[in-house]
Amino acid sequence: MMIIMNTDANQKQVDQVMVKVKSLGFEPHVVYGEERTIIGVVGNNPYMTTRDQYARMPGVDRIMPISRPYKLSSREFIPEDSSFPLDGVDIGGPGIVIIAGPCAVEDRVLISEIAHAVKEAGAHALRGGCFKPRTSPYSFQGHGEKALKWMAEAREETGLPIVTEAMNEEQIKLVASYADVIQIGARNMQNYSLLHAAGASQHPVLLKRGMSSTVEELLMAAEYILSHDNRRVILCERGIRTFEKSTRNTTDINAIPVLKEKTHLPVVLDPSHATGNWNYVTAVARAGIAAGADGLIVEVHTEPENALSDGFQSLKPERFATMVRQIRTIAQAIDRDIAVSSHAAPEMK
Ligand code: PEP
Ligand code: MN
């Protein structure tokens, strides 16, 4: 439920309500809005059991239930879009953010080369898996911490913030010490101890939709992270399993406007895993932006034919550059644009 404070409520009154919430065994989550402060109370059914306790407290205007099962991620609780900076570029704002890089970080020289290439083409952040969740235990599993170091070097060289996956709870601390954003993969969307650890890290998280998960399950997974008051969560549609065999997954384009309606969190699309074929990546990326996504996460490789994973769905840098150009045009057609990083060099006149 939400405890909505009066427009002139002071901090002391907010603090008193928070103390009361805790004393009743619930967790308060405060949002300082432009007009008024709202305290979200989550836990098992707080509205039915405790709503009357706050009605006459100083500074309280009214108490309202949040009808959705997801609370902190819902637009009922936070009506405006949430946005936050990723090293100088806002995700969730009007600008489209593009994250690009290889499926896996394969070696130092290659990741540096790819980082420069995607930056040149207009990417705002570098992706690359250091710990890889693979369907087969015999496939390349990633270079681990060594690869995290190479990613950090690529960030040093290019200034691009880095996004990389943590596959289990134990990896969260290590990944957070190198990465700007911790990725939680589709296979781990309902790994609750991992979600708790990612929430507790207070680090930005990119949460991918499970391949057989509903939109509501994705939002419930996000709720685990938000329940730690870690609000820097990006949701990612990456295609779902259907009966259709012509592509690796089926892009649930519908999920984008559905998510944008239900949650204030930024939503990005991964057209690479959604299609599994580089030939379709640009078309689906365009569709995602037209549908309202706040960004893209795209696999790019300078030598996709030799990639150790997902080469078949990776764009070459030239094709990626074309994709970025087209995305800009689509963004402008819906009154948006590609995001501008505050680190970007001023354009030459
Ligand atoms: C990835 O981003 O490389 C990845 C493994 O994605 P997903 O978890 O969506 O399959
Ligand atoms: Mn991949």
Side-chain angles (χ1 to χ4, degrees), residues 271-284:
S272 311
H273 293 86
T275 59
N277 185 331
W278 68 267
N279 227 343
Y280 309 139
V281 165
T282 300
V284 170

Side-chain angles (χ1 to χ4, degrees), residues 13-69:
Q13 293 168 334
V14 171
D15 291 343
Q16 282 167 346
V17 173
M18 305 254 279
V19 169
K20 182 78 174 172
V21 170
K22 285 186 194 155
S23 76
L24 292 166
F26 292 94
E27 269 307 308
H29 298 271
V30 63
V31 177
Y32 296 100
E34 265 179 28
E35 267 190 19
R36 52 172 93 223
T37 299
I38 297 176
I39 300 160
V41 183
V42 294
N44 194 3
N45 218 353
Y47 187 70
M48 293 310 287
T49 55
T50 66
R51 65 183 155 173
D52 297 336
Q53 304 271 342
Y54 310 98
R56 273 181 291 281
M57 288 186 76
V60 172
D61 178 9
R62 59 191 195 279
I63 294 136
M64 284 176 60
I66 303 177
S67 61
R68 310 275 184 196

Side-chain angles (χ1 to χ4, degrees), residues 1 20 22 59-60 84-85 90 99 127 194 201 211 249 284 288 302 309 316 342:
M1 70 180 182
K20 182 78 174 172
K22 285 186 194 155
V60 172
F84 56 89
D90 270 349
I99 305 163
R127 64 147 289 148
L194 179 62
S201 76
M211 58 189 88
N249 291 292
V284 170
T302 44
S309 67
K316 288 188 176 160
S342 60

Side-chain angles (χ1 to χ4, degrees), residues 103 127 132 273 299 310 313:
C103 178
R127 64 147 289 148
K132 292 304 304 174
H273 293 86
E299 287 184 341
D310 287 348
Q313 67 192 34

Side-chain angles (χ1 to χ4, degrees), residues 303-334:
E303 294 168 41
E305 53 290 348
N306 297 323
L308 295 179
S309 67
D310 287 348
F312 197 63
Q313 67 192 34
S314 299
L315 291 178
K316 288 188 176 160
E318 313 82 77
R319 290 208 166 88
F320 173 65
T322 304
M323 187 207 87
V324 174
R325 262 201 317 277
Q326 295 178 350
I327 291 303
R328 185 186 302 280
T329 307
I330 290 185
Q332 288 167 348
I334 53 169

